[in-house]
């Protein structure tokens, strides 16, 4: 195995010509998988390239986004929040209103349709908090696919309601009892399942992570968020936003919002990570916030992709902490690593407590209880207020609703 430094050096030529390899974002991304997975990844890449250009696939995708998931989602002016904060005009992109309660359904529909197209009757997924598992099980039921979700036993205990949802939808939930019994162990188990059953099975990955083509494909499926938001803000305000805010776990809702604005240098993009309980390794899940004193992130390979990874000095993957399960992951999507290096997007982290306070703030000003993940984006906006003016115009991605977090809110608020 190569260490992060060797890989970084060997990538330096690619760094100078970021478009040389498919699936590269500068030096990041790529396809670091066992040989047995190269064939299915090539197959998936081809199928996706074909589907992208296929009008009937796109029509099916748009149809399900509209009639099953509930798109387009509103871009709502947050009048009372704007007044309360006294700074920029704030609009909320309401992904919380989608079927199953978050943006994850956009990607699950896209990949579910692709599984059908590839003739694969079985999908597998891994899940931490259970949100991606529920989205996958939902789409599988709708399309008549078999669905197996790998989940750590620790997470199954914490997220019993989502386990019941997946089973109600006809999915099999496989308990993973190895390692820390959480998301990364579930991912390892899903990988093993895929290697074994690759002929019949599509691996439905939930964020812009993993080997090529996943980071690009998942981004494309989520880019509908930014396409809608751009049209909606132009209709409402006759100008582009000055700032975009979104929380960053793997990075799919944020890149989904950002992507359509990458060509507009006047639009600042701010990704908010989980600062957890503090800067020490193990206390947070902030991979791109070293400038704020969050230690432990260096480029490295995790689960098939080269990106910033929280690790100890020996390159062992660190444990992470966040109050929000959806942000609690040691790596970040490779495109974000590249956007951060180029300073095209900025990243900062907010604490568990700041996210809780922000969740209460949004609930009481707007009558919207946000998911804990989305509450991080709100906290990020609150912390940045001193740098913003009344002339600024903000779009904040409300990635999900707070129903799933009510236990945490009632315990801690
Ligand atoms: C899963 C999840 C996230 C984090 O995932 P990304 O890929 O970073 O978007 C954020 N918000 C909600 C509501 C989620 O369920």
């Amino acid at each position: 195995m190569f260490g992060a430094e060797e890989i970084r050096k060997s990538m330096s030529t690619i760094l100078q010509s970021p478009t040389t390899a498919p699936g590269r974002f500068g030096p990041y991304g790529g396809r670091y998988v066992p040989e047995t997975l190269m064939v299915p990844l090539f197959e998936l890449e081809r199928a996706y390239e074909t589907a992208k250009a296929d009008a009937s696939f796109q029509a099916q995708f748009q149809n399900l986004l509209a009639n099953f998931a509930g798109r387009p989602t509103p871009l709502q002016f947050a009048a009372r929040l704007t007044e309360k904060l006294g700074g920029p005009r704030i609009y909320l992109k309401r992904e919380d209103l989608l079927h199953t309660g978050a943006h994850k359904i956009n990607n699950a529909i896209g990949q579910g349709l692709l599984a059908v197209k590839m003739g694969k009757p079985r999908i597998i997924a891994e899940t931490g908090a259970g949100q991606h598992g529920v989205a996958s099980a939902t789409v599988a039921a709708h399309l008549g696919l078999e669905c197996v979700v790998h989940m750590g036993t620790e997470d199954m205990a914490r997220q019993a309601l989502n386990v019941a949802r997946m089973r109600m939808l006809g999915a099999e939930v496989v308990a993973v009892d190895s390692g820390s019994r959480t998301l990364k162990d579930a991912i390892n188990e899903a990988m093993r399942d895929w290697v074994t059953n690759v002929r019949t099975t599509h691996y439905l990955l939930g964020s812009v992570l993993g080997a090529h083509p996943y980071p690009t494909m998942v981004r494309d499926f989520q880019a509908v968020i930014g396409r809608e938001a751009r049209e909606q803000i132009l209709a409402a305000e006759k100008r582009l936003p000055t700032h975009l805010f979104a929380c960053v776990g793997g990075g799919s809702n944020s890149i989904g919002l950002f992507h359509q604005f990458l060509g507009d240098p006047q639009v600042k993009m701010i990704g908010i990570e989980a600062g957890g309980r503090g800067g020490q390794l193990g206390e947070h899940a902030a991979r791109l916030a070293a400038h704020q004193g969050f230690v432990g992130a260096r480029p490295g390979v995790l689960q098939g992709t080269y990106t910033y990874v929280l690790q100890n000095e020996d390159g062992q993957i660190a444990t992470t902490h966040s109050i929000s399960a959806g942000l609690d992951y040691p790596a970040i999507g490779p495109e974000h690593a590249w956007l951060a290096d180029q300073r095209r997007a900025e990243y900062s982290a907010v604490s568990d407590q700041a996210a809780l306070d922000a969740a209460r703030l949004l609930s009481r000003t707007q009558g919207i209880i946000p998911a804990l993940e989305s509450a991080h984006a709100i906290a990020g906006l609150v912390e940045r207020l001193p740098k913003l003016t009344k002339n600024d115009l903000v779009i904040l991605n409300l990635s999900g609703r707070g129903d799933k977090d009510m236990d945490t809110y009632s315990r801690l608020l």
Side-chain angles (χ1 to χ4, degrees):
M1 280 302 286
F2 294 109
E5 271 318 298
E6 283 87 320
I7 292 172
R8 200 222 263 280
K9 275 180 213 142
S10 73
M11 291 300 147
S12 61
T13 42
I14 294 169
L15 188 62
Q16 277 139 38
S17 50
T19 54
T20 48
R24 289 282 177 193
F25 305 95
Y28 304 108
R31 209 155 11 200
Y32 297 84
V33 295
E35 215 176 314
T36 41
L37 285 182
M38 288 305 275
V39 171
L41 286 170
F42 285 137
E43 182 193 13
L44 179 61
E45 183 182 11
R46 268 196 311 273
Y48 176 58
E49 288 305 322
T50 308
K52 209 159 74 170
D54 176 0
S56 89
F57 179 91
Q58 292 301 331
Q60 274 177 303
F61 183 45
Q62 294 310 323
N63 179 39
L64 286 181
L65 287 180
N67 299 310
F68 186 56
R71 304 209 71 92
T73 59
L75 181 75
Q76 185 190 19
F77 177 58
R80 285 189 11 93
L81 182 65
T82 294
E83 191 189 351
K84 174 98 181 171
L85 296 181
R89 287 174 71 72
I90 302 163
Y91 280 79
L92 303 174
K93 182 61 173 161
R94 300 288 311 275
E95 296 294 295
D96 61 312
L97 292 176
L98 288 172
H99 184 40
T100 66
H103 68 289
K104 287 200 171 72
I105 194 83
N106 301 324
N107 168 54
I109 289 173
Q111 286 192 51
L113 285 174
L114 209 52
V116 172
K117 196 132 188 104
M118 289 187 290
K120 306 219 167 178
R122 180 174 181 265
I123 62 171
I124 58 171
E126 84 297 325
T127 198
Q131 292 304 107
H132 174 57
V134 169
S136 300
T138 298
V139 168
H142 195 73
L143 297 177
L145 299 166
E146 186 191 340
C147 179
V148 174
V149 180
H150 296 270
M151 189 171 188
T153 47
E154 179 76 25
D155 288 333
M156 284 176 75
R158 284 189 293 201
Q159 305 289 337
L161 182 61
N162 277 338
V163 174
R165 278 199 187 108
M166 289 182 258
R167 290 183 171 149
M168 174 104 184
L169 291 158
E172 181 192 346
V173 182
V174 176
V176 178
D177 210 17
S178 54
S180 58
R181 304 189 190 94
T182 58
L183 181 61
K184 73 181 161 56
D185 314 290
I187 295 178
N188 290 337
E189 220 33 66
M191 287 280 197
R192 263 192 281 275
D193 183 329
W194 201 28
V195 171
T196 314
N197 300 298
V198 79
R199 222 172 34 80
T200 59
T201 300
H202 171 65
Y203 182 9
L204 208 170
L205 213 154
S207 190
V208 285
L209 292 162
H212 180 62
Y214 284 104
T216 304
M217 178 176 71
V218 176
R219 177 201 67 201
D220 291 350
F221 288 144
Q222 293 290 1
V224 62
I225 301 173
R227 278 198 303 274
E228 286 175 7
R230 190 187 169 100
E231 253 179 50
Q232 290 165 320
I233 197 78
L234 287 173
E237 294 277 336
K238 314 279 178 280
R239 61 174 175 139
L240 287 174
T242 57
H243 296 78
L244 308 176
F245 285 83
C247 65
V248 188
S252 70
N253 86 85
S254 48
I255 206 76
L257 176 64
F258 294 174
H259 193 245
Q260 195 69 10
F261 296 92
L262 282 175
D264 305 298
Q266 72 273 36
V267 180
K268 293 194 174 70
M269 303 174 180
I270 298 126
I272 309 295
E273 301 183 282
R277 294 181 291 236
Q280 298 284 90
L281 198 58
E283 297 295 303
H284 65 87
R287 295 114 333 162
L288 294 174
H291 57 94
Q292 287 176 287
F294 290 90
V295 304
R298 277 179 291 134
V301 169
L302 184 62
Q303 273 132 8
T305 194
Y306 178 66
T307 184
Y308 278 79
V309 179
L310 288 164
Q311 52 191 298
N312 71 14
E313 275 161 21
D314 298 327
Q316 293 295 312
I317 304 308
T319 54
T320 51
H321 164 79
S322 170
I323 192 171
S324 144
L327 304 184
D328 197 354
Y329 185 70
I332 188 166
E335 190 166 8
H336 287 288
W338 179 232
L339 291 175
D341 273 13
Q342 294 185 103
R343 303 187 193 290
R344 177 61 190 95
E346 290 171 55
Y347 298 82
S348 59
V350 300
S351 68
D352 286 351
Q353 188 56 52
L356 283 169
D357 293 343
R360 180 161 43 197
L361 172 69
L362 189 75
S363 300
R364 295 185 180 183
T365 51
Q366 292 297 137
I368 300 169
I369 301 176
L372 263 167
E373 291 83 3
S374 322
H376 281 71
I378 301 156
L381 167 60
V382 170
E383 291 187 3
R384 207 184 166 94
L385 277 179
K387 291 188 188 164
L388 299 172
T389 73
K390 277 184 184 298
N391 292 326
D392 285 324
L393 180 60
V394 166
I395 296 178
L396 186 144
N397 203 25
L398 209 61
S399 55
R401 67 179 84 129
D403 306 34
K404 67 184 178 64
D405 298 312
M406 282 319 299
D407 275 353
T408 308
Y409 289 147
S410 50
R411 224 169 359 98
L412 297 177
L413 284 176

